[in-house]
Amino acid sequence: AKKQGKNQYKLFDAALEERVQKAIYIEERLRQAILLKQFELYFQPKIDISSREVISLEALIRWNVNGHMIFPDEFIPIAEDKGLIGKITDCVLEMACETLSQWHGLAHLKNLSIAINISGKDISVDNFFEKLAGLLKRYKFEPSLLELELTESALISNLANVKDTLMHLKNLGIKVAIDDFGTGYSSLAYLQALDIHYLKIDRQFVAALLTEPKAEAIVQSIIDVGKNLGLGLIAEGVEQADHLARLDAMGCDQAQGYYICRPLPLSELIKFISGQRKC
Ligand code: C2E
Ligand code: CA
Ligand code: CA
Ligand code: CA
């Protein structure tokens, strides 16, 4: 038994060692990727549920290594850990603002918003809103077309600091959404304290909406709280026609998910919006 125990310990050790080595490897490659700007944005549409029109696109980062796509869940946590997230966010913000400024002169795209994901590490940096003010100066577009998605844990990790930052962002005209709402350390106190515009209902509640009465009650409660506070409600992870119909009946404003469209490269998504392709 002792021997087995020892072997098991070694096995665990080896697995841990492998994880550490992999993270070190990814960190080195990430530093290169940042220098070479090897990141791409995919975009997923959000529709207005009543009109069924695409009103906003969420930018989702992909790391392109020689044509092979690496998904954010694999490298964003490492980037946050190793202090590299700021540079990646700069890259994403730059691409998003450039795209918005290109649409500014185009009749059919000029009202489309772009939402980007912001890490808790980004928002805690002192000059975060100054960075955005700088981008708004450099690129010409309506600031309310830029939306930042933040998770609850990002918001409450440094509430006092974040409160100021969000007030500055509001003054700049930028919109802020709470992502994955209901899954973090939810507290209604921060809804009272912070300047935000949208709640994104987490896809775990949407997935269970039609089969679990508790999930339905949670979704309806989130919609009601949001509405009472004057916030816009966005449901993510909409995978079926019946999800969309139910969310419509429940008073949700916007929807996003595979049922509507998967994330696509921008050129493909623009074809989807203009009816030239299906999803
Ligand atoms: P998220 O912000 O919650 O983004 C939604 C994720 O759900 C995306 O995965 C999207 O492809 C996926 N998704 C969309 N519709 C559906 C659906 O109907 N069903 C299911 N099961 N999934 C759906 P993705 O692109 O792999 O991104 C994963 C996470 O990585 C994001 O979760 C976000 O937290 C983070 N992320 C993505 N891009 C960035 C970025 O530029 N910066 C930062 N800091 N984080 C990012
Ligand atoms: Ca998001
Ligand atoms: Ca989300
Ligand atoms: Ca998520």
Side-chain angles (χ1 to χ4, degrees):
K2 200 175 174 191
K3 198 175 169 209
Q4 197 191 2
K6 202 174 171 194
N7 281 343
Q8 269 176 359
Y9 173 75
K10 268 197 175 148
L11 221 124
F12 168 74
D13 208 21
L16 181 68
E17 174 69 14
E18 197 182 307
R19 270 219 314 280
V20 170
Q21 287 302 328
K22 193 176 173 200
I24 292 172
Y25 177 73
I26 293 181
E27 179 187 352
E28 280 168 11
R29 299 293 299 269
L30 263 181
R31 288 184 193 278
Q32 266 184 299
I34 290 166
L35 291 174
L36 301 173
K37 297 201 191 310
Q38 283 176 330
F39 300 105
E40 240 174 82
L41 296 181
Y42 270 49
F43 290 90
Q44 187 180 35
K46 291 183 254 174
I47 60 167
D48 174 272
I49 295 181
S50 345
S51 71
R52 304 283 155 122
E53 265 178 66
V54 175
I55 53 174
S56 175
L57 308 184
E58 179 174 3
L60 295 159
I61 196 168
R62 304 287 181 259
W63 178 9
N64 188 336
V65 182
N66 305 321
H68 171 73
M69 291 294 176
I70 306 180
F71 284 80
D73 287 337
E74 265 198 73
F75 65 91
I76 293 291
I78 296 172
E80 287 176 335
D81 218 42
K82 306 294 178 186
L84 298 172
I85 190 68
K87 292 225 164 69
I88 294 176
T89 303
D90 287 351
C91 203
V92 172
L93 272 169
E94 192 85 28
M95 289 191 274
C97 291
E98 191 180 350
T99 303
L100 283 169
S101 72
Q102 285 165 358
W103 291 347
H104 189 68
L106 303 176
H108 63 305
L109 297 174
K110 71 168 199 286
N111 295 320
L112 202 53
S113 311
I114 294 183
I116 77 166
N117 292 285
I118 298 292
S119 150
K121 296 262 170 9
D122 296 317
I123 191 95
S124 319
V125 170
D126 271 346
N127 63 356
F128 182 71
F129 78 92
E130 287 166 7
K131 181 178 287 181
L132 282 155
L135 283 164
L136 293 179
K137 254 194 189 146
R138 242 174 340 111
Y139 292 102
K140 203 176 158 54
F141 62 88
E142 173 56 47
S144 64
L145 296 177
L146 183 62
E147 301 168 2
L148 306 182
E149 299 191 358
L150 284 147
T151 60
E152 290 161 306
S153 50
L155 292 172
I156 59 171
S157 61
N158 188 354
L159 194 60
N161 193 349
V162 166
K163 189 175 184 323
D164 274 2
T165 301
L166 295 194
M167 189 195 69
H168 287 301
L169 292 176
K170 186 186 182 187
N171 291 337
L172 290 173
I174 292 169
K175 301 265 157 98
V176 172
I178 301 184
D179 208 348
D180 304 344
F181 187 75
T183 61
Y185 316 85
S186 306
S187 132
L188 298 176
Y190 73 77
L191 289 185
Q192 185 189 354
L194 300 177
D195 284 312
I196 52 161
H197 304 86
Y198 299 106
L199 298 182
K200 283 192 93 171
I201 304 168
D202 190 72
R203 70 165 179 262
Q204 82 180 56
F205 303 122
V206 175
L209 182 60
L210 304 172
T211 50
E212 285 176 35
K214 281 186 184 169
E216 183 176 6
I218 289 170
V219 170
Q220 189 65 66
S221 306
I222 294 175
I223 292 173
D224 292 344
V225 168
K227 289 267 140 168
N228 288 334
L229 292 170
L231 305 175
L233 275 302
I234 306 168
E236 62 175 29
V238 174
E239 295 186 353
Q240 304 170 24
D242 290 347
H243 289 155
L244 193 58
R246 193 78 204 95
L247 287 161
D248 191 7
M250 293 171 90
C252 190
D253 302 301
Q254 297 179 37
Q256 174 183 7
Y258 294 162
Y259 172 69
I260 297 149
C261 189
R262 288 178 177 270
L264 292 172
L266 189 57
S267 55
E268 292 304 305
L269 196 69
I270 287 174
K271 286 186 199 158
F272 170 75
I273 294 172
S274 47
Q276 291 168 295
R277 68 158 275 170
K278 293 194 173 159
C279 248

